[in-house]
Every structure is written in structure tokens, then in C-alpha cells.
Amino acid sequence: MGIQDVLRTLPLAAMAAVVVLDLLAGPSLGLLPLLTLGPALAAVVGGVRHTALAGLAALVLSVPLAYHDHLLGRPQIIVTLVAIVGVTAAAMLACRLRAEGERKLADVRLVAEAVQRVLLHPVPRRAGDLRIALSYMSAAVDARIGGDLYDIARAPGGVRLIVGDVQGKGLGAVETAASVLGAFREAAYDEPSLADVGRRLEEHLALRLGGEKFVTAVLAEVREHEICLLNYGHPPPLLLTGDGCVQRIEPREEAPPLGLVALSSTGPEPYGCAFRAGDQILFYTDGVIEARDRSGAFYPLEDRVLRLLRAGDPQDSLDLLERDLVAHVGGPVPDDAAMLLVRRERP
């Protein structure tokens, strides 16, 4: 018997307990009104029909109990019957309203899931000699997206990608993330260079956000033997070389986030590094490195990646890293956390 079955028997068990206690205690205790527990509990664990049946059972049980307690013909039995009917009716109404709310919530979730699939659609897990893995954990309860974003696009010069983090949380952050991804998908195919893609994103956000929000992001273009990066105030990716070294790929100078570039005299400059067969690059958002355990210690990402990102399948590796992050926090992550792993296969 499952827990749901146990809960559904709870109203009958409560009324049975009232009957037994009333028979043992005798007429003096007056437990008859407690039969209203049946329909009240039924409304919590069941539906309208289950609640009505519990109310009917309470009415049926009240007659022999009233006879046992010498209450037939007295005002107390009338009050008890009215209380049972009133509680049952109110409980049935509550069940009806709850069912309607659950249906509306289910419809909203279906729409939200459709929006999520459009916003963060599945990216290719293979692109030439590249293998790609993804991890996304939203801080919002029962949500699969938040203010973090990612996407991958094939371009004439190579594979281009973006990993970013929108300032703020909630629906506003999701809306901004959708806007950034839409602009990236257009620019990634059209623009000849990564710097031009970044310029298009900045122009789009200047019109879209009006200086109210900003987006930290890393743009990347994976070429034949190297990777080119453009960093807008985002945590630097980690390069895991085939010989077992970990290196942060940091820009020569820090640049402001997208949406705030106009406040700086110069924007970010493209930079890069070699990206050879057997190497891996991990992109991530600050929700990963700022995750704390119960003692307040940050998640030691650089210390864990070499040990955890060694599986033959990149997605298995990243899933292991995700579980380790959740174990470090001791529960759901407090902020959106996205990770994207790109591995260059050996010949």
C-alpha cells in the first residue's frame, strides 16, 4: 500500500477512532461532533466524491452513536447533523476550487515548458570533433530555466557559443535571457567575427534594456586548433588540457558586462588559447563558484574538475560534477547555475 492509499484511509480511520472512544467513554464525554473530522480530512487527501462519501459515512455513524449516547430527540443530535452537513459542503467546495486551481496550474506549466524548450532548446551534442555537455539548475522552485543562458551555433568560421548570466532573478531575468539568446542566434550566423557578434549583442541590449539591466557573458568561437573568446565581465572558463593541467582562460583586461559597455571607453578585446585534441573547456556561471556549503565555504570548482571530468562521455562527467555541487550545497542551489563542457576528441 502506497502513501496515497494510506492517506485516503485517514478519514475513515479518524471516524472509527471517534466511534471506539465514544463507545468506551460512554455518553458523558460527548464525542459525537468529532465525526466532522472525517469529511474535513477527506478534503485534504481526496477529491469531491471522496469528501462526500466521508460526510455520508459520518451521518450514518452519528445515528447509532446518538442512540448509544441517549441523544435521539435532543437538540445536540440536530446540531451535530447540521455541523456534519455544513463541514462536508464546505469541504466539497474547497476540493472543487483546489481541483480547478490544479488544472490551471497544469495548463500554465505546459505553456511554461513550451517556452522553456524554445528558449533553451537542445543544443547539438556533437559538432565535428567537438563533444558538448550541458548542465542547468534553476534556483526557482519547479522551474528549469532562470536568468542563466547558453547556446551553440555553427558559423562559417567554426562553432560559436555563448554562456551568460542576467542580472536579477524571476520572470524579468528570463525575458532578458530570451532576448539575448534571440540576438545571439541571429548574429552568430551573420557576423564575420566574434567581435562583430558582441557588438550586435551590445546594440540590441542598448535598445532592449535601456541601461536598467546588464548581462555578464562569454562568447567563444572554436576553430581548428584554438578557441577565441570575448569576455563581458563573466567568470573565466577553465581549460583542462589533455596532460592534466587546469588553467583559467582570463582576458588581459576586464571589461564591463553587456548593457554597460557604453560606460567604458573600450569594449572587451578578443583573446584565446590553443585548444587541441584531448583538451576540455568548461564554461560556467557564478551560481557554480558562489555556491556555499553550510559552513559558508565556496564550491572549489578548480580543485574538483580534474577528478570529476574524466569520464569517457562528457555528459556523464558533467552530471558527476553537478551532483558534487549539489552535495556541497546540501540541497538545491540558491542561485541559477549553468555549465557547458566542450571536449575536443582525440583522433
Side-chain angles (χ1 to χ4, degrees):
M1 181 181 292
I3 183 140
Q4 191 64 29
D5 295 329
V6 173
L7 290 176
R8 289 181 68 85
T9 62
L10 189 59
L12 293 178
M15 289 187 289
V18 171
V19 171
V20 172
L21 290 175
D22 188 83
L23 292 175
L24 294 176
S28 60
L29 200 55
L31 298 178
L32 196 60
L34 292 182
L35 287 175
T36 55
L37 286 174
L41 290 174
V44 176
V45 300
V48 174
R49 183 179 178 182
H50 188 63
T51 303
L53 292 175
L56 181 60
L59 288 174
V60 171
L61 290 173
S62 64
V63 175
L65 280 185
Y67 176 79
H68 175 266
D69 294 340
H70 309 295
L71 296 176
L72 289 179
R74 294 187 180 183
Q76 291 93 325
I77 184 59
I78 304 299
V79 172
T80 300
L81 294 178
V82 171
I84 292 174
V85 172
V87 170
T88 302
M92 291 172 63
L93 178 60
C95 287
R96 180 67 179 271
L97 295 176
R98 185 188 66 195
E100 291 180 357
E102 289 174 349
R103 281 195 295 270
K104 291 180 180 179
L105 180 59
D107 292 340
V108 170
R109 284 180 174 173
L110 287 175
V111 174
E113 288 178 1
V115 172
Q116 290 169 348
R117 286 193 294 269
V118 173
L119 177 55
L120 294 179
H121 59 74
V123 301
R125 297 309 173 102
R126 283 184 178 270
D129 62 347
L130 302 178
R131 297 185 67 185
I132 300 158
L134 295 166
S135 168
Y136 198 109
M137 292 174 285
S138 174
V141 178
D142 293 333
R144 290 188 290 192
I145 59 172
D148 289 359
L149 57 97
Y150 62 79
D151 204 0
I152 297 175
R154 290 179 179 267
V159 175
R160 289 175 175 172
L161 61 90
I162 182 173
V163 174
D165 185 1
V166 178
Q167 172 224 4
K169 297 180 181 180
L171 293 178
V174 174
E175 184 181 3
T176 302
S179 179
V180 172
L181 287 175
F184 170 78
R185 288 163 186 165
E186 292 181 3
Y189 292 105
D190 297 339
E191 298 297 338
S193 70
L194 198 63
D196 291 326
V197 175
R199 192 155 38 248
R200 279 270 297 272
L201 291 180
E202 180 59 30
E203 292 172 357
H204 173 81
L205 286 178
L207 296 174
R208 177 70 177 77
L209 301 183
E212 297 179 359
K213 289 187 177 182
F214 60 85
V215 181
T216 68
V218 173
L219 304 180
E221 182 175 87
V222 184
R223 300 169 182 168
E224 188 174 357
H225 298 296
E226 63 178 352
I227 184 168
C228 178
L229 300 168
L230 204 60
N231 195 316
Y232 290 88
H234 197 77
L238 296 179
L239 172 66
L240 291 75
T241 61
D243 57 3
C245 295
V246 179
Q247 174 188 349
R248 285 196 293 177
I249 316 175
E250 297 182 292
R252 287 179 289 273
E253 294 183 2
E254 292 187 5
L258 289 166
L260 300 179
V261 175
L263 303 179
S264 175
S265 57
T266 59
E269 295 184 2
Y271 67 104
C273 66
F275 188 41
R276 303 183 178 88
D279 291 347
Q280 303 181 86
I281 293 182
L282 178 66
F283 299 86
Y284 54 94
T285 58
D286 59 7
V288 177
I289 56 176
E290 293 179 0
R292 300 171 182 259
D293 62 11
R294 294 179 180 176
S295 66
F298 291 110
Y299 181 68
L301 180 64
E302 292 186 46
D303 297 336
R304 302 288 178 89
V305 290
L306 271 181
R307 177 172 60 86
L308 298 174
L309 299 181
R310 298 173 60 182
D313 184 85
Q315 190 61 55
D316 292 341
S317 295
L318 200 57
D319 290 344
L320 187 62
L321 182 60
E322 177 184 310
R323 289 194 294 271
D324 188 68
L325 173 63
V326 173
H328 175 83
V329 176
V333 291
D335 193 9
D336 299 331
M339 294 182 285
L340 188 150
L341 179 65
V342 180
R343 179 184 295 177
R344 173 152 271 162
E345 290 186 320
R346 298 181 185 273

